[in-house]
Amino acid sequence: MSLMNTYTLENGVKIPVLGFGTWQTPAGKVATDAVLAALDAGFTHIDTAEMYGNEKSIGQAVKVSGIARSDLFITSKLDNQAHTYELATQALDRSLSDLQTDYLDLFLIHWPNPKAFRDHDWEKHLQETWRALEDAYTAGKVKAIGVSNFKPKHFEVLKKTQKIQPMVDQIRICPGDVDRLTIDYCQQHDILLEAYSPFGTGQIFANETLKALAQKKKRSVAQLCLRWSLQHGYLPLPKSVHPARIKENTEVFDFELTESEMQQIDALQGVAGFATDPDTADF
């Protein structure tokens, strides 16, 4: 396995096994420089979202890099205020314009139940929003479509009307924070799991088990977390704005965790330090 390796989505599209995350990366020079550093380090898979507010900066970085669009895999996600057919269609076109591209490799519904639509027939809104993604896929605006933060019950809502099954579910996965029910559901239905926040919110770096194991392997805790994710068949999306750490996050293909070491990490609980956002919380 290397940075050039890919997973194959249900429709045959190849997606690089490691992606560069940009959540909480400020727009402007910070985002542009971070993406350029990621591309320079060998990342070809860039993940963003309209709600991150940095799509224009990422589009500029890709343009400046001179890398052929066909050599990159770019993902974005639907704004939470766009859960109707018409609004979703407009939002995708806006993302394409901001990213300066004619197509996206992957487009996701960011949340199944954003607060703005939670009390107004949310199931119908979700189904109509998914239909907009299906039509964008058929029209060639996106090469693959999927979702983020979905649990099994949300997939069951889509099943009632969908013509195309989601190909990806991007959820929070890191040592100590594993939604086993959703992971099992996706694996049973051939839905690739992307792991956002693979380092939690930073508290994971203070975990004594991970620190000791990292010292034993002569690796960083971050590299350990990414390797754990890859060996489980997830697609981690590490985020950083520091070139040295960005490069370090690509250096996870020349070592392996043993079965015992994997079990050690699997046994961790409650080390990620996440808080629930009431605007996007499940119900």
Side-chain angles (χ1 to χ4, degrees):
M1 183 178 275
S2 75
L3 196 59
M4 301 307 294
N5 278 77
T6 59
Y7 293 123
T8 302
L9 299 181
E10 188 272 336
N11 67 339
V13 165
K14 306 287 187 181
I15 180 171
V17 297
L18 188 66
F20 183 67
T22 62
W23 179 43
Q24 296 181 326
T25 300
K29 190 176 188 305
V30 174
T32 299
D33 287 352
V35 172
L36 285 171
L39 295 173
D40 186 60
F43 278 100
T44 58
H45 177 182
I46 308 297
D47 180 272
T48 185
E50 185 171 3
M51 289 196 299
Y52 298 172
N54 57 22
E55 287 179 313
K56 288 184 179 180
S57 303
I58 290 169
Q60 184 62 23
V62 169
K63 182 179 179 180
V64 169
S65 76
I67 298 173
R69 176 66 183 86
S70 58
D71 291 334
L72 297 175
F73 193 102
I74 300 177
T75 299
S76 195
K77 308 177 198 73
L78 183 69
D79 186 90
N80 276 358
Q81 303 303 313
H83 272 228
T84 70
Y85 182 92
E86 292 78 12
L87 291 175
T89 301
Q90 293 167 12
L92 171 57
D93 288 342
R94 188 163 53 248
S95 288
L96 290 171
S97 175
D98 288 347
L99 286 162
Q100 302 183 55
T101 182
D102 295 329
Y103 69 93
L104 288 174
D105 296 279
L106 177 63
F107 192 56
L108 309 177
I109 294 179
H110 206 149
W111 288 92
N113 60 333
K115 187 176 180 180
F117 297 92
R118 194 168 298 163
D119 299 324
H120 304 285
D121 200 1
W122 72 271
E123 291 193 8
K124 179 181 177 182
H125 283 302
L126 183 57
Q127 291 162 351
E128 285 297 293
T129 300
W130 183 248
R131 183 167 66 87
L133 268 65
E134 290 179 326
D135 286 354
Y137 173 76
T138 301
K141 291 182 178 181
V142 294
K143 292 193 173 183
I145 51 177
V147 297
S148 183
N149 301 295
F150 272 49
K151 296 181 182 295
K153 63 184 180 183
H154 303 123
F155 286 107
E156 292 302 311
V157 170
L158 290 189
K159 268 188 176 181
K160 297 174 184 178
T161 59
Q162 71 186 22
K163 296 178 181 177
I164 302 170
Q165 176 183 270
M167 300 160 193
V168 168
D169 191 10
Q170 185 179 125
I171 63 173
R172 200 168 63 198
I173 307 176
C174 70
D177 186 24
V178 177
D179 179 353
R180 195 71 255 168
L181 283 176
T182 298
I183 289 171
D184 288 346
Y185 182 96
C186 289
Q187 291 176 334
Q188 291 163 10
H189 291 82
D190 198 22
I191 299 168
L192 178 68
L193 287 152
E194 289 190 324
Y196 73 74
S197 294
F199 309 139
T201 55
Q203 293 183 33
I204 205 164
F205 295 112
N207 180 264
E208 294 301 327
T209 297
L210 291 173
K211 285 165 64 177
L213 189 52
Q215 185 174 23
K216 170 189 170 185
K217 303 293 283 190
K218 295 182 171 57
R219 297 286 173 166
S220 69
V221 169
Q223 288 173 324
L224 211 65
C225 292
L226 295 176
R227 186 69 211 179
W228 170 84
S229 191
L230 289 166
Q231 286 185 218
H232 270 303
Y234 311 142
L235 195 162
L237 300 163
K239 171 258 177 182
S240 179
V241 297
H242 304 288
R245 291 179 187 167
I246 291 170
K247 180 64 175 173
E248 178 186 281
N249 290 340
T250 69
E251 296 168 345
V252 292
F253 299 102
D254 59 346
F255 76 102
E256 289 188 2
L257 297 169
T258 66
E259 183 176 348
S260 173
E261 290 165 345
M262 289 290 287
Q263 290 173 353
Q264 253 189 295
I265 299 174
D266 288 342
L268 296 175
Q269 293 184 1
V271 300
F274 286 109
T276 300
D277 181 348
D279 182 56
T280 49
D282 189 30
F283 66 100

